[in-house]
Amino acid sequence: MAVHDDGAGAAPAPARRNSIIYDPKARGLFFQTLVVLGVGFFLYEAASNAIANLQRQNIASGFGFLDETAGFEISQTLIAYSPTSTYGRAFVVGLLNTLLVAVVGIALATVVGFIVGVMRLSKNWLIRQIATAYVEVIRNVPLLLQLFFWYFAVLKQLPGPRQSIPLGFGTSLNIRGLYIPAPVLGPGSGLVIAAFVVAVVGIVVLARWAKRRQMATGERFPVLPVSVALFVGLPLLAYFVAGRPITFEIPELQGFNLQGGVQIIPEFVALLLGLAMYTAAFIAEIVRAGILAVSKGQTEAAHALGIKPGTTLWLVIIPQAMRVIIPPLTSQYLNLTKNSSLAVAIGYPDLVSVFAGTVLNQTGQAVEVISLTMLVYLVISLLTSAFMNWFNAHVALVER
């Protein structure tokens, strides 16, 4: 006998199960609202307490102090600055100095790290041991001590200006820093600058065209020699066509110091060397791990096709290893940027030294100064991460 169950005889669902208390979405919304209100209350109390303390100590608040006169010198400035400039301009000077050492340090650390990482896998015993000693020594000594070594033990032991060490091409080195010739732009120099920009754009276009050509036909185009010819030849041609409008100011000894040219202060050199050498040791291990992550079959296949070992490394192994290298490489770039704040230990005028140091001591507005300094480092780190994530996605393996 067939049994029909149309639900007519089923018991009705308990009314308590329809309550909002048993709705997961409602419960989640309730607790999230509680957390937001709690955090908001904490921030409100913290801000109120800070404002009350500042008023009780008669300390001004707000960012109006940025328009006041700074009244102090800065040893290295990438833009025009004098003691009559404002605190806001001093902030920009410190920020540019931080960006300068971060960008140059990242570039130098990347080059040294890749070279040492490849040396770590060399079949030559001596080269491999030199790279191993570099990594083990550098990464196990605190960065602050390395900065002291480069600044006090190396650069501060150089001779005075009268006994400067000539390095050729008008370049001199002494205890006050590295002096290099400064370019002096004359009428017509715009043509040379325009030729330089055109050469750079042409190299980028050429590289992309050569890559598409190789993907379509398998034939390689000599990009490197053509790029070098463009980079050197085009500006040089414009230089002579325009009547050699660019001259160089050579540093010369006048009195007790060298005058003219461009001075690179020893604090910058010490900070740059310390940051780059220290970070390069970690990058070397990242590069070594990335290369080892690539299957040996790739190398064997390349050799079976008659590709030379050096070409195999740079055109077969490294491109595949980059997918492993880039994520931890991003962390090292962020560490280098943040570690640049140690510049205050050797007197380099970075953002922390200038703004969170001198400006804070003169104005006493700790909340505004420290908050703005932290915000700057946060923005720099987020932008660096965003760029590296974009680059990582660009070189990622595309599944077909």
Side-chain angles (χ1 to χ4, degrees):
M1 181 178 66
V3 178
H4 298 282
D5 185 4
D6 54 2
R16 63 185 183 87
R17 291 192 176 181
N18 294 329
S19 173
I20 194 172
I21 299 177
Y22 297 98
D23 186 351
K25 292 184 178 178
R27 287 203 308 270
L29 183 61
F30 174 73
F31 287 115
Q32 290 176 42
T33 304
L34 276 183
V35 171
V36 171
L37 290 176
V39 172
F41 178 74
F42 172 78
L43 294 176
Y44 172 77
E45 285 295 321
S48 300
N49 189 38
I51 293 173
N53 289 334
L54 292 174
Q55 291 176 344
R56 188 165 51 251
Q57 298 175 19
N58 294 323
I59 298 177
S61 59
F63 292 92
F65 71 95
L66 293 175
D67 295 326
E68 299 176 3
T69 302
F72 60 88
E73 291 274 3
I74 299 179
S75 58
Q76 175 182 295
T77 60
L78 298 180
I79 60 175
Y81 175 85
S82 69
T84 58
S85 300
T86 62
Y87 286 125
R89 196 165 187 84
F91 166 79
V92 176
V93 170
L95 174 60
L96 291 177
N97 287 343
T98 294
L99 292 176
L100 175 66
V101 75
V103 171
V104 179
I106 285 174
L108 185 59
T110 303
V111 173
V112 175
F114 267 78
I115 293 175
V116 176
V118 173
M119 289 171 61
R120 287 270 281 159
L121 299 172
S122 173
K123 295 180 180 179
N124 186 300
W125 181 86
L126 180 59
I127 292 177
R128 190 169 63 251
Q129 295 308 314
I130 290 175
T132 302
Y134 172 85
V135 171
E136 295 302 331
V137 170
I138 297 297
R139 74 173 178 177
N140 289 310
V141 175
L143 175 58
L144 184 60
L145 293 180
Q146 294 189 37
L147 295 181
F148 287 159
F149 169 78
W150 286 111
Y151 186 62
F152 294 110
V154 177
L155 298 177
K156 281 298 180 182
Q157 303 305 317
L158 292 173
R162 289 180 179 274
Q163 296 79 33
S164 297
I165 303 172
L167 301 178
F169 302 101
T171 304
S172 301
L173 181 66
N174 59 49
I175 194 172
R176 296 184 180 178
L178 178 67
Y179 290 80
I180 61 176
V184 179
L185 304 181
S189 57
L191 180 63
V192 181
I193 297 174
F196 175 77
V197 174
V198 170
V200 172
V201 174
I203 290 172
V204 173
V205 173
L206 175 66
R208 292 189 174 186
W209 171 81
K211 184 177 181 179
R212 289 197 301 268
R213 178 175 179 267
Q214 184 176 0
M215 294 297 292
T217 64
E219 297 180 3
R220 294 185 59 193
F221 185 80
V223 176
L224 182 60
V226 175
S227 298
V228 172
L230 272 177
F231 189 78
V232 177
L234 199 56
L236 197 62
L237 178 63
Y239 175 76
F240 284 106
V241 169
R244 295 187 293 181
I246 300 178
T247 57
F248 289 91
E249 183 185 37
I250 307 298
E252 295 180 352
L253 181 64
Q254 296 180 7
F256 297 98
N257 199 7
L258 294 177
Q259 301 294 333
V262 176
Q263 179 191 11
I264 302 176
I265 59 176
E267 291 80 9
F268 173 79
V269 178
L271 181 64
L272 178 64
L273 289 176
L275 289 174
M277 296 298 106
Y278 182 75
T279 308
F282 292 91
I283 293 178
E285 286 300 275
I286 293 171
V287 171
R288 184 176 71 91
I291 293 175
L292 291 177
V294 179
S295 171
K296 290 184 178 179
Q298 299 289 322
T299 304
E300 295 171 354
H303 290 171
L305 293 173
I307 302 177
K308 297 179 181 179
T311 307
T312 300
L313 176 66
W314 293 110
L315 296 184
V316 178
I317 304 302
I318 293 293
Q320 298 182 72
M322 290 300 291
R323 297 166 188 137
V324 179
I325 291 173
I326 289 176
L329 191 63
T330 304
S331 298
Q332 294 306 319
Y333 288 170
L334 298 180
N335 288 338
L336 187 147
T337 303
K338 290 179 287 187
N339 287 337
S340 67
S341 60
L342 292 174
V344 69
I346 56 175
Y348 176 72
D350 76 322
L351 181 63
V352 174
S353 176
V354 172
F355 196 63
T358 307
V359 174
L360 173 58
N361 290 332
Q362 291 190 0
T363 62
Q365 297 194 234
V367 176
E368 293 84 354
V369 170
I370 298 300
S371 299
L372 194 55
T373 306
M374 293 171 62
L375 181 63
V376 167
Y377 277 95
L378 177 63
V379 171
I380 293 174
S381 297
L382 291 178
L383 291 177
T384 304
S385 297
F387 173 76
M388 293 302 293
N389 289 336
W390 169 82
F391 185 64
N392 188 33
H394 182 70
V395 301
L397 182 64
V398 179
E399 299 290 345
R400 297 179 180 176

